[in-house]
Amino acid sequence: MEIIILSSTEEVGETSADVIADVLERSDRPVLGLATGSSPVAAYRALAARTGSGDLDLSDVDAFALDEYVGLPADHEQSYATFIRENVVAPLGLDPARVHVPDGQADDLEAACTDYERAMGDAGGVDLQILGIGANGHIGFNEPTSSLESRTRIKTLAPQTRQDNARFFDVIDDVPRLCVTQGLGTISEARTLMMIAQGEHKAQAVAAAVEGPLSAMCPGSLLQSHRRAIVILDEAAASSLQLADYYRYVYANKPDWQRPRRRAPRG
Ligand code: F6R
């Protein structure tokens, strides 16, 4: 696992975008796994600047979102379909026909979950999965004690997650109780996992995921068993890590050949 600690939101966004662009440009059939919420916003903004200037072209990328609320219409302002459309598809110049979000409104939700898994497989699997982490350690909406082998399925949101996400709704009662989420087994099949976390309120979850035991009690700890996992943090999110100085030392001494390729901007 590589832990990168940075000092500003802008650096978190640029560094995340470097890794994402590098992985996708190396792939013959690029597939990106998308997260919603606050954590990846700086990365999406940095990618949008590159596609907007013509330095990066993502129009041939297939993309799959991690999760969706059950029961919100796709055009609801808080549905993840809306988030992806507004923050990812349009700004990054993705082809809307190639971008998939789990269907939280399907009559047969279980069949829709199976279809989603099949579509991910048909696309060749995910090259890089972007992840945030919940204050309770969840990734996707795999709440604590989710099976490490779980697949895309219906889950009940933990009360803390509903409380944390209430900021996006008028009142907490409007936050759905159910969701559809890729499972931990699904997520672990992505060839690279990239977790982004910012802010003091994520520090305990980050420490549990990175330095605690590999345990279903902290689904983010799944990254410890992955062959290529990158964790990109600001100082506040890194503030409970015991080995923070070691991670800074490793990153400062990383050989150039291991760093993402940076192409000179056009023009
Ligand atoms: C979102 C998702 C969640 C969030 C997590 C952190 O698609 O899967 O795991 O990444 O709840 O949310 P933010 O980034 O809003 O703090």
Side-chain angles (χ1 to χ4, degrees):
M1 191 167 20
E2 178 177 24
I3 321 293
I4 303 175
I5 303 170
L6 300 165
S7 53
S8 69
T9 301
E10 199 196 353
E11 271 188 274
V12 167
E14 293 296 335
T15 304
S16 305
D18 285 346
V19 177
I20 295 165
D22 189 49
V23 168
L24 296 179
E25 286 183 328
R26 286 176 197 269
S27 177
D28 293 338
R29 202 180 163 193
V31 180
L32 179 61
L34 302 169
T36 62
S38 323
S39 305
V41 166
Y44 293 144
R45 209 174 288 136
L47 287 169
R50 297 175 196 198
T51 55
S53 66
D55 292 329
L56 179 69
D57 180 5
L58 299 179
S59 58
D60 65 343
V61 169
D62 286 301
F64 291 86
L66 279 170
D67 41 22
E68 177 61 288
Y69 292 115
V70 167
L72 292 190
D75 61 359
H76 187 283
E77 60 174 359
Q78 292 308 333
S79 77
Y80 285 175
T82 297
F83 178 99
I84 296 289
R85 216 171 34 247
E86 293 180 351
N87 294 277
V88 185
V89 178
L92 274 59
L94 300 188
D95 174 355
R98 287 174 170 263
V99 179
H100 309 266
V101 180
D103 183 354
Q105 280 224 299
D107 291 335
D108 186 341
L109 283 170
E110 287 187 3
C113 292
T114 306
D115 291 348
Y116 199 69
E117 291 265 342
R118 189 179 308 114
M120 292 175 74
D122 290 348
V126 171
D127 286 302
L128 182 143
Q129 177 64 56
I130 303 170
L131 298 167
I133 185 166
N136 65 358
H138 74 217
I139 55 174
F141 274 143
N142 295 281
E143 302 288 19
T145 71
S146 290
S147 160
L148 298 177
E149 296 288 335
S150 50
R151 310 302 306 186
T152 302
R153 68 212 185 290
I154 304 152
K155 284 289 286 181
T156 306
L157 292 170
Q160 181 178 352
T161 302
R162 291 186 68 240
Q163 185 70 55
D164 290 345
N165 289 3
R167 68 190 193 278
F168 298 116
F169 294 80
D170 291 337
V171 290
I172 190 165
D173 285 346
D174 291 349
V175 184
R177 286 183 165 72
L178 299 178
C179 64
V180 172
T181 182
Q182 287 184 34
L184 294 174
T186 319
I187 292 169
S188 65
E189 284 171 10
R191 291 178 276 278
T192 297
L193 297 182
M194 192 183 79
M195 178 186 284
I196 306 172
Q198 296 173 88
E200 176 84 44
H201 61 301
K202 297 294 176 72
Q204 289 304 321
V206 167
V210 171
E211 295 178 339
L214 170 55
S215 163
M217 279 298 281
C218 178
S221 66
L222 182 77
L223 272 73
Q224 295 178 27
S225 69
H226 196 275
R227 61 192 177 283
R228 187 167 190 235
I230 304 170
V231 180
I232 301 184
L233 306 170
D234 69 1
E235 293 284 350
S239 60
S240 294
L241 291 172
Q242 287 178 43
L243 300 185
D245 285 344
Y246 169 65
Y247 308 138
R248 290 190 189 93
Y249 166 84
V250 171
Y251 188 58
N253 289 289
K254 185 170 170 166
D256 281 345
W257 62 266
Q258 278 190 338
R259 294 181 185 268
R261 283 181 301 197
R262 269 220 192 187
R263 291 174 316 144
R266 288 183 199 172

